[in-house]
Amino acid sequence: MTSPEAEKLRQQGNEFYKSKNFAEATTDPSPYSNLSAAQYEMGHYTQCINDIRNALQLASNESASLQTKLALRLAKAQLQTHDYQATAETVVRSSEGQDQALPKYLRALDETREFYVVGHDEARPQIDSQMFDSPEKSVSIFFAGIGDARNLHATLLKMDQLEQKDSSIRSRKYHLTINDIKAKALARDLLVLFLLTELDGIDESKETERTEALKTLFFLCIAPVVPQRIAERIQAAIGRLVDGLIPENIIAEYLHIYADDKGFLIEVLRSWRGKLRSKYSLVEAL
C-alpha cells in the first residue's frame, strides 16, 4: 500500500467520524479497520493496535473474515513494537478453533511433485529375473541422466539378489554405462563408487575402520551438513581418487573412464578440495 493510499484511508475514517451519524459510527468496525490499515502502512504501530482493538470490539461473529484479517494485522503491528509476548498470544487466540473449521484429509490442490535437494523418488532397479531368461551371457544397461545414481545402486543390489537365488547366472557379465550432462554429478557418483571399492577392500575383522568408511558414505550420499572428521575423510578420499585418475593409474579394475572425460572430472574434484570453513551463515547452511 502506497502512502497516498494510506492517507486516503485515514481521511476516509476521519470523515466518517466527523459525520453526524454517530450511532452507525459506534457499530460499524469498518472505520477502525480502515484506520488501522492506514496507521500500519504509515508506521504508526501503537495507534494501529488501538484501532484494531476498537474494530474487534465492534466486529460481530458473522464477520469471521474481517476478524481474521484484523488479528493478522494486530500480530504484525505487535511484532513491529517488539512486544513478542503479545504477538504470540494474538497468534494463539486467532488460531483457536481453526483446525476444527477446516475439512479433514483434503486432497492437495496441486499434486505435481515438488523438487527436493535430496531426491524423494523411489530407486528402481533396471533389471529383473526375466532378463536372465535370455541365453545371452552378457547384460548391458545405459543410465542416461544418472544424477545421484540411485537407480544404478538399486540395479547392483538387484543383480546380487538374483545371483544369490540362482548360481547359474553368476557367470554372466554386466556392462553398465552411466552418463550425465553435469560433470559434478558424475564426479560425485565416481567418488561414491571409489569409496565403495575401498570399503570392499577393508577386512571384516577391522570393524572400526569399516564403520568409519560406512559413515563417510552415509554423509556423502544424503547429509546436507557433515561433521569435521567426516569432511576430512572425504577430502582425503578425493585426493586419492584424483591420483587414481591420473593417466597410467587405475582406481578400480571394473571402472573404465574415457580419457576425454578425465580432465572434466579431475577439475571438479579438485574444486571440492581446500581449507574447510568452520562457520557458515544460516543462509549458506540452508
Side-chain angles (χ1 to χ4, degrees):
M1 182 182 296
T2 63
S3 294
E5 291 174 334
E7 184 61 29
K8 181 179 179 181
L9 282 175
R10 173 190 281 273
Q11 292 176 1
Q12 179 183 349
N14 289 335
E15 289 173 0
F16 190 94
Y17 291 113
K18 291 178 182 179
S19 68
K20 296 182 180 180
N21 193 352
F22 297 109
E24 182 178 353
T26 57
T27 59
D28 187 353
S30 298
Y32 281 119
S33 177
N34 291 339
L35 275 173
S36 69
Q39 300 282 21
Y40 182 87
E41 295 300 331
M42 297 180 71
H44 303 159
Y45 302 116
T46 301
Q47 297 94 317
C48 173
I49 292 172
N50 293 333
D51 290 331
I52 291 173
R53 287 172 175 164
N54 289 330
L56 286 172
Q57 289 180 353
L58 297 175
S60 63
N61 294 332
E62 290 76 18
S63 308
S65 60
L66 176 60
Q67 290 178 349
T68 301
K69 183 187 298 184
L70 289 171
L72 176 60
R73 188 178 301 150
L74 176 60
K76 291 167 61 178
Q78 290 170 329
L79 190 61
Q80 293 289 351
T81 61
H82 306 290
D83 191 347
Y84 304 117
Q85 180 64 34
T87 303
E89 292 174 356
T90 299
V91 172
V92 171
R93 284 197 305 270
S94 62
S95 62
E96 289 178 353
Q98 292 297 320
D99 55 341
Q100 287 83 6
L102 293 174
K104 303 299 183 181
Y105 308 111
L106 282 178
R107 294 174 60 87
L109 297 178
D110 184 0
E111 296 184 351
T112 304
R113 287 192 172 187
E114 299 179 17
F115 170 79
Y116 293 84
V117 176
V118 179
H120 65 296
D121 53 310
E122 182 181 355
R124 298 178 181 275
Q126 304 303 301
I127 196 169
D128 55 34
S129 58
Q130 294 182 353
M131 297 180 69
F132 292 100
D133 294 337
S134 170
E136 298 293 336
K137 294 298 181 180
S138 62
V139 176
S140 298
I141 304 176
F142 179 76
F143 294 86
I146 188 65
D148 62 5
R150 69 185 59 195
N151 292 330
L152 169 66
H153 296 300
T155 301
L156 293 173
L157 290 172
K158 187 65 174 180
M159 288 177 179
D160 180 67
Q161 293 173 1
L162 292 172
E163 289 190 354
Q164 293 293 336
K165 294 180 180 179
D166 186 356
S167 59
S168 65
I169 63 176
R170 295 181 183 176
S171 60
R172 289 181 181 269
K173 294 183 178 181
Y174 304 98
H175 183 94
L176 308 179
T177 303
I178 66 174
N179 189 25
D180 201 287
I181 193 172
K182 296 181 180 179
K184 289 183 179 180
L186 289 171
R188 177 185 177 279
D189 296 338
L190 181 61
L191 180 58
V192 171
L193 290 172
F194 177 68
L195 288 172
L196 285 171
T197 303
E198 289 192 331
L199 173 64
D200 185 60
I202 301 175
D203 191 273
E204 293 186 0
S205 61
K206 300 179 179 180
E207 184 176 350
T208 301
E209 188 175 349
R210 288 180 62 86
T211 300
E212 287 300 308
L214 287 169
K215 289 179 181 178
T216 304
L217 279 164
F218 169 81
F219 281 104
L220 177 62
C221 289
I222 67 172
V225 180
V226 180
Q228 179 72 22
R229 73 177 192 282
I230 299 298
E232 292 172 353
R233 288 180 61 90
I234 293 175
Q235 290 277 303
I238 292 174
R240 296 192 300 273
L241 177 55
V242 169
D243 293 339
L245 285 172
I246 297 174
E248 307 303 328
N249 288 353
I250 301 176
I251 59 175
E253 293 184 356
Y254 68 89
L255 283 174
H256 171 73
I257 302 172
Y258 290 105
D260 292 342
D261 296 332
K262 286 187 178 181
F264 298 105
L265 295 173
I266 291 175
E267 180 181 357
V268 171
L269 290 167
R270 283 177 173 168
S271 72
W272 291 342
R273 300 197 68 187
K275 185 178 180 180
L276 299 175
R277 293 169 58 183
S278 59
K279 295 182 179 179
Y280 288 86
S281 68
L282 179 60
V283 173
E284 290 172 315
L286 293 175

